[in-house]
Amino acid sequence: MKITVYNCRPFDELDNFKKMEKETGVEIVCCPDAPDLSNIHLAEGSEAIDIITSKMTRELIEGFAKTGVKYIATRTIGYDHIDRKACEEFGIHVSNSPYGPNGVADYTVMLILMTIRKAKRILQRGNLQDYSLMGNMGREMKDLTIGVIGTGNIGKTVVQNLSGFGCRILAYDLYEKEEVRKYASYVDMDTLLSQADVITFHTPLTEENFHMINKDSIAKMKDGVVLINTARGGLIDSEALIEGLESSKIGGAGLDVVEDEFGLYYYDHKNDVLKNRSIGILRAMPNVTVTHHMAFYTDNETRTVVEDSIKSCILFMEGKENPWQVY
Ligand code: NAI
């Protein structure tokens, strides 16, 4: 049995993969690069490959299928980067790694606090020895209504985290959860949009959810609303977001994810001219904090995704029941 791992980070994943190789006896080939047409050959003889958020296009999937790959394990919760139609066409199955929600939920609360307390501005000005107060006034959580869209694993944990701050919490999900009702009131989407001072997103990116937040939905929001996105960039139309920030309709944003981030994040681009204008514009705004899809990144997550993705590949190859398989 052989598994080919792509985007294997030598500084924090390699040792864990080597440990799994020793424990399971399965050959694990680690490649530091994202899967592409030039390194598909590394998967020859592997029934399963192990990837992160790099885009798995139809062309790539067809290429892997030709080498005999039947299974893609992604070391991420989201799996929208894998072309599902192509996988179905070429008979490839997919699993994800739903590690615990706390890392992302903690990070979400951090971005909410950073945005309402203007942390970016305070740090930038402090670096210039500008210790004045004007423009740095924040707001207190207890005075705010926070809207949580999507109360699955992460959204539910965000609600629990927020419950200690004394804010009013509104929630919206297609399926309501009893445990969330302890801390939050479920309302319809329009009520949440119109009443929340801060809105945080925790839904997957699907065809239906693409640009869930657009010009029309922003128009329904409170003036000065703060938007927090630690889910997927495609949930928010970047153009509409930038226009909303420029007009001050939106008072600030904390974005761990942005549209079209594929290929940019997790690489050193300091000498490059970026081909994503939205990121440049958003980063330049004093009231917008942009981080490079980091919310997941904790010691706990790193260990869990390596172990679970390898276990999932082995179970699939052995034809056994597999709790991580999503299709
Ligand atoms: P989950 O599947 O547990 O929960 C998603 C929830 O969204 C479900 O309750 C579902 O009913 C709800 N939902 C789906 N469409 C909806 C809609 N149109 N309106 C309202 N609710 C809707 O997913 P989980 O694990 O909580 O992840 C949430 C998001 O976080 C995903 O987009 C995932 O890709 C992202 N994520 C981001 C990370 C980061 O590092 N920034 C790391 C991990 C996950």
Side-chain angles (χ1 to χ4, degrees), residues 33 113 205 253 269 295:
D33 304 317
L113 285 166
L205 177 62
H269 285 292

Side-chain angles (χ1 to χ4, degrees), residues 25 28 38 48 70 98 102 118 156 178 198 231 251 255 278 281 297 319:
I28 300 178
S38 71
K70 297 192 173 60
N102 295 77
K118 303 190 174 161
K156 179 187 72 184
E178 212 39 55
V198 176
L255 309 170
S278 304
I281 294 169
Y297 192 43

Side-chain angles (χ1 to χ4, degrees), residues 21 109 129 306:
E21 187 171 50
V109 175
Q129 299 185 41
V306 167

Side-chain angles (χ1 to χ4, degrees), residues 91-111:
I92 290 188
H93 297 276
V94 170
S95 69
N96 70 344
S97 302
Y99 48 87
N102 295 77
V104 181
D106 291 357
Y107 202 92
T108 302
V109 175
M110 177 187 83
L111 283 181

Side-chain angles (χ1 to χ4, degrees), residues 77-78 80 99 104 149-155 172-175 177 202-205 209 212 230-232 256-257 293-296:
I77 293 180
D80 52 275
Y99 48 87
V104 181
I149 299 186
T151 54
N153 287 322
I154 295 172
Y172 171 69
D173 197 300
L174 304 174
Y175 307 96
K177 280 197 169 74
H202 303 286
T203 65
L205 177 62
N209 290 345
M212 165 194 272
T230 57
R232 283 292 180 267
D256 188 47
V257 288
H293 205 143
M294 298 294 297
F296 72 93

